[in-house]
Amino acid sequence: MASLNVGVLGHVDCGKTSLTKRIAEIASTSAFDAHALKGGRKNTLDLGFSSMTISGRRLALIDCPGHAALIRAVLAASTVFDIAIVVVDASNGVQPQTAEHLLLCSIFCPNRIVIVLNKIDLIEKSKIPDVEKQVRKALKAVGVSSDSSIVAMSLNDSHFAQESIEKLKEVLSQMIFEPLRACEKKMILAADHCFNIKGKGVVITGTVLQGILRVNEDLEIPKLQVLRKPKMLETWKQPVEEVRAGERAAVLVSNIDADSFSRTLIASPGSLRSLSRCIASVEPVPFFRSSLLSGTKMHISIGFETVMAECQFLRPQPECPDEFEQLRSMESPCVVQLTFERAVFVADEGNSPCSFLMASRLEQQRKGCRFAFHGRVLKIVDDTTSLKRFTRKCRQGVVERVEGGRRTAICCGMLKKETKIELFKNMIVQLETGEEGRIEGSFGRNGKIRLTFSSALPDSLPSNKKRQKPVEDQRANVSVAMLSQRLVRIVQSRCFSKFSNEANSASTVERAVEFDEDGLPKDYKAKTLKAGSRRLDTFLNRATGKSSSQIEKLIMGGKVRVNEEVHTKKAYNVQKKDIVDVWNKAYQENAVLAHVERTEIVDYEVTEQGYSFQVKSWRNFFGR
């Protein structure tokens, strides 16, 4: 029967290692943090592996560090969890790392979690039900069944501890199941420790993720770019000829420097491939409160490693699988293009345990949930592969009047009089009320356009019967973008680019339109701004030419937006790809709209004098 991997998790100092020592029967390499100084540090610093047997089934206990700074080790181990024991300090309740570990468990084993409520001797018995209620509330919040078993325990009370341990074993025995292991696939080993044995060689320990590991069969260590044959295999200190998927293995090899690598993947030759850029699925973590813009760099935990990568969020097009709409921020649904700072290794075949990834901001300790999204590698993007990306470009406008049996509308404010209307002919637009039409052509010489609709427009739109100037409340806004219902949405206005530097052929895309580089006629000015810092008030002082006092009043008055959100903190540091809008004056023809000065930060660099910003600037832009 296959072994089951049981993660032992919880906040630092909650008693994970002490519990594991009490229930373990066999301890493997560094199981209980042998490097802890006597009388000094008592916290686990790395993964520890031990085992116990219940109902004839071996359970591999993975003791995980609880400190926030050591979450990388937990992320590396979590992909093999079959069952989880989450230890909660009864005197402190659910703490930050408890919540993060529960969130990981909700992804990998949501229906097989047992809570150990430890240190109940430190609180009054009457308060135990309140702590259990808090724990069940936390379980429900992360999507784990609130009916999960809770075992109260105090390891300081020998008699009570033994009773509690027996109850824990009973709960674990009820969770035992027959796991599905991918033994038929190419072998991949997640190596977690490596050490020398004098006179014999180097021992590498780890968990077989898939396939079967055998003696004297070639192993590839991609990180070192070497091939080695295992001279001996052990599982839980027993010599064996093979180790199957899901089992622990100790591999003896020679001619390797034990200090040259730690956690990494080892596999049959050709099972792994180097990955520098990929397309991955995105499952947002609802507890991550910060907004994620395209271009943001995140910690990506994948293939037993954690590497920085730049995220570009994309939306696939069902009708064109090779086309992706480039998004400004993470939305649902979407996928993400990841560009890694250094190459990582993943399985050459899909749906492998090592294709799972977790995106996080590990530098944000004690600032809420650090996990942003998780997913799997969908497509590896080679340097020679070209994927078509596009951005939707939009204009705003106002319906001035309706003509032609209410099937034609005249729209103003969407295009300038010098705009080439031919570029926009036949593009689909959508009214705020939901009706779709097309741009027929220009109307006069002042930038007005004529829209045609297949059905009659509602009576609420202004009519042309009396030939009088429409009243404000008779006007109808037209939707501008897919994300905000205020301006004209031009469905087919798309600007394509590629991952490679090759020029894109517009003829290969039936609906592509030849625009300037931003997808619309060029109505912005490219500038270079010099500033002493990246503070919002300093940047706007240079971008708009307004005085410091004027800028401060605008910021404090809620008249400055960054990426469509009001910013009232003048000390905010602007970032690459930020879009900053400054309110200028109200739009006379529609009080809902306003003239704004828009500045988009294309890039910036640090100079001896401060910062040099490359920006796009619109002096008269419509916004809310």
Side-chain angles (χ1 to χ4, degrees):
M1 291 186 293
S3 297
L4 294 173
N5 296 301
V6 181
V8 184
L9 307 105
H11 196 81
V12 63
D13 290 332
C14 66
K16 300 182 298 300
T17 303
S18 299
L19 172 63
T20 308
K21 283 181 180 179
R22 294 290 294 268
I23 62 178
E25 300 167 1
I26 300 176
S28 68
T29 309
S30 301
F32 303 122
D33 197 15
H35 302 289
L37 298 175
K38 185 176 181 180
R41 175 184 56 78
K42 299 268 182 88
N43 301 132
T44 300
L45 293 183
D46 203 351
L47 300 172
F49 293 86
S50 55
S51 76
M52 63 186 296
T53 303
I54 293 181
S55 302
R57 180 67 65 92
R58 183 183 297 279
L59 303 184
L61 303 173
I62 308 174
D63 183 19
C64 299
H67 198 282
L70 303 174
I71 192 66
R72 288 176 173 84
V74 185
L75 287 166
S78 57
T79 54
V80 302
F81 289 168
D82 298 311
I83 300 173
I85 299 173
V86 181
V87 184
V88 179
D89 184 341
S91 61
N92 292 309
V94 176
Q95 296 172 274
Q97 288 310 110
T98 314
E100 283 194 347
H101 290 178
L102 282 173
L103 185 57
L104 286 176
C105 294
S106 71
I107 297 172
F108 295 104
C109 52
N111 301 318
R112 292 184 291 273
I113 297 176
V114 56
I115 304 296
V116 171
L117 194 61
N118 194 21
K119 302 184 182 181
I120 61 170
D121 56 309
L122 300 181
I123 63 172
E124 298 177 7
K125 288 186 177 181
S126 60
K127 293 184 178 180
I128 294 177
D130 293 334
V131 179
E132 290 185 354
K133 185 177 180 180
Q134 180 197 20
V135 172
R136 294 194 186 281
K137 185 177 179 180
L139 291 174
K140 186 177 180 180
V142 297
V144 175
S145 173
S146 58
D147 295 329
S148 298
S149 299
I150 298 180
V151 180
M153 187 177 296
S154 173
L155 296 176
N156 289 331
D157 185 336
S158 299
H159 178 70
F160 180 67
Q162 189 58 40
E163 289 183 355
S164 303
I165 288 172
E166 292 302 320
K167 183 178 179 181
L168 175 61
K169 289 181 178 180
E170 182 181 342
V171 172
L172 291 174
S173 66
Q174 295 172 1
M175 292 184 176
I176 289 176
F177 68 104
E178 194 63 39
L180 295 176
R181 305 296 193 198
C183 295
E184 73 286 354
K185 294 185 177 181
K186 296 179 181 179
M187 198 286 301
I188 298 178
L189 172 73
D192 44 63
H193 292 91
C194 183
F195 57 91
N196 288 304
I197 295 184
K198 191 173 182 179
K200 290 189 177 182
V202 173
V203 174
I204 301 172
T205 62
T207 303
V208 179
L209 298 179
Q210 63 181 47
I212 302 175
L213 173 62
R214 295 186 175 92
V215 176
N216 292 325
E217 287 191 358
D218 282 340
L219 290 181
E220 180 182 14
I221 307 177
K223 203 167 187 178
L224 303 181
Q225 297 183 342
V226 296
L227 291 176
R228 292 292 183 269
K229 290 182 184 293
K231 297 191 294 184
M232 183 185 297
L233 287 178
E234 286 187 0
T235 180
W236 301 111
K237 301 184 179 181
Q238 296 297 318
V240 293
E241 291 297 314
E242 66 177 34
V243 181
R244 303 175 72 84
E247 306 290 332
R248 290 287 297 169
V251 187
L252 179 64
V253 295
S254 57
N255 299 324
I256 289 179
D257 181 7
D259 297 326
S260 59
F261 70 97
S262 54
R263 280 192 291 270
T264 189
L265 293 178
I266 300 174
S268 301
S271 299
L272 299 175
R273 63 177 296 181
S274 176
L275 170 65
S276 296
R277 185 185 291 139
C278 71
I279 301 293
S281 60
V282 173
E283 293 292 335
V285 175
F287 306 100
F288 185 79
R289 300 304 181 190
S290 303
S291 60
L292 277 185
L293 300 178
S294 289
T296 301
K297 288 191 175 182
M298 305 284 291
H299 293 90
I300 305 297
S301 300
I302 180 174
F304 241 50
E305 296 184 83
T306 298
V307 183
M308 292 295 291
E310 182 178 305
C311 303
Q312 174 64 61
F313 297 102
L314 309 169
R315 178 176 289 125
Q317 303 302 295
E319 70 279 8
C320 303
D322 291 333
E323 292 182 15
F324 297 88
E325 179 186 353
Q326 188 166 295
L327 304 176
R328 189 174 298 280
S329 60
M330 182 176 71
E331 301 175 12
S332 184
C334 71
V335 296
V336 63
Q337 174 212 341
L338 298 173
T339 304
F340 294 91
E341 288 190 347
R342 62 177 174 84
V344 296
F345 297 94
V346 297
D348 195 34
E349 52 192 6
N351 200 28
S352 169
C354 62
S355 68
F356 175 86
L357 59 90
M358 174 69 78
S360 49
R361 279 185 165 165
L362 301 183
E363 73 279 3
Q364 293 183 352
Q365 294 190 29
R366 299 184 180 180
K367 292 183 180 180
C369 180
R370 295 180 291 173
F371 303 142
F373 63 87
H374 59 89
R376 290 190 175 275
V377 176
L378 300 176
K379 181 181 180 66
I380 296 176
V381 181
D382 296 321
D383 292 337
T384 57
T385 303
S386 297
L387 296 179
K388 293 183 285 293
R389 297 183 299 176
F390 67 87
T391 54
R392 295 193 185 273
K393 296 297 181 177
C394 309
R395 292 280 181 163
Q396 68 179 7
V398 176
V399 173
E400 189 175 73
R401 63 178 182 270
V402 176
E403 300 176 338
R406 306 198 68 80
R407 293 175 182 266
T408 302
I410 306 301
C411 179
C412 66
M414 185 189 300
L415 303 176
K416 294 183 178 180
K417 61 181 180 180
E418 59 269 21
T419 301
K420 294 181 179 179
I421 190 63
E422 290 78 12
L423 295 174
F424 295 89
K425 273 190 175 181
N426 295 320
M427 286 186 181
I428 299 174
V429 297
Q430 186 177 38
L431 295 180
E432 193 174 48
T433 49
E435 292 81 6
E436 284 193 353
R438 291 182 179 273
I439 298 178
E440 180 180 307
S442 60
F443 180 81
R445 297 183 179 181
N446 294 323
K448 296 181 181 180
I449 57 175
R450 186 189 300 275
L451 310 177
T452 57
F453 298 85
S454 57
S455 59
L457 296 176
D459 294 336
S460 58
L461 291 175
S463 175
N464 193 33
K465 290 181 179 180
K466 296 184 179 181
R467 297 285 182 181
Q468 63 182 15
K469 185 176 180 179
V471 184
E472 288 289 346
D473 59 6
Q474 290 180 324
R475 302 207 173 207
N477 290 338
V478 209
S479 156
V480 70
M482 300 185 69
L483 304 181
S484 60
Q485 296 295 313
R486 55 194 174 105
L487 309 173
V488 171
R489 177 172 67 184
I490 304 176
V491 177
Q492 293 179 352
S493 175
R494 307 195 294 178
C495 177
F496 284 86
S497 60
K498 290 190 175 185
F499 290 138
S500 68
N501 292 325
E502 299 174 10
N504 183 38
S505 174
S507 61
T508 62
V509 184
E510 184 178 349
R511 290 178 292 171
V513 182
E514 294 183 3
F515 292 145
D516 288 335
E517 61 180 12
D518 70 337
L520 290 175
K522 208 168 186 179
D523 56 356
Y524 63 85
K525 290 185 179 179
K527 295 181 179 180
T528 299
L529 303 177
K530 305 290 185 181
S533 72
R534 291 193 290 121
R535 283 174 55 111
L536 180 60
D537 55 350
T538 304
F539 173 78
L540 287 178
N541 178 260
R542 301 296 184 272
T544 65
K546 291 180 170 60
S547 66
S548 299
S549 60
Q550 288 176 314
I551 293 297
E552 184 174 358
K553 287 180 181 179
L554 288 169
I555 294 175
M556 300 305 293
K559 294 183 178 180
V560 174
R561 292 191 179 193
V562 180
N563 303 320
E564 301 294 334
E565 295 183 0
V566 174
H567 262 261
T568 56
K569 294 182 179 180
K570 59 183 181 180
Y572 167 78
N573 286 327
V574 295
Q575 308 287 336
K576 179 181 175 182
K577 296 188 179 179
D578 272 355
I579 295 180
V580 184
D581 291 330
V582 179
W583 185 90
N584 193 3
K585 61 181 180 178
Y587 182 47
Q588 293 182 356
E589 296 184 359
N590 191 334
V592 177
L593 304 177
H595 296 275
V596 300
E597 292 185 43
R598 168 164 289 190
T599 306
E600 178 180 348
I601 301 173
V602 178
D603 200 358
Y604 68 83
E605 59 182 354
V606 182
T607 65
E608 294 182 359
Q609 292 75 30
Y611 290 84
S612 177
F613 295 90
Q614 287 74 51
V615 303
K616 292 180 180 179
S617 176
W618 289 262
R619 301 297 292 179
N620 191 19
F621 198 86
F622 282 108
R624 281 204 171 197

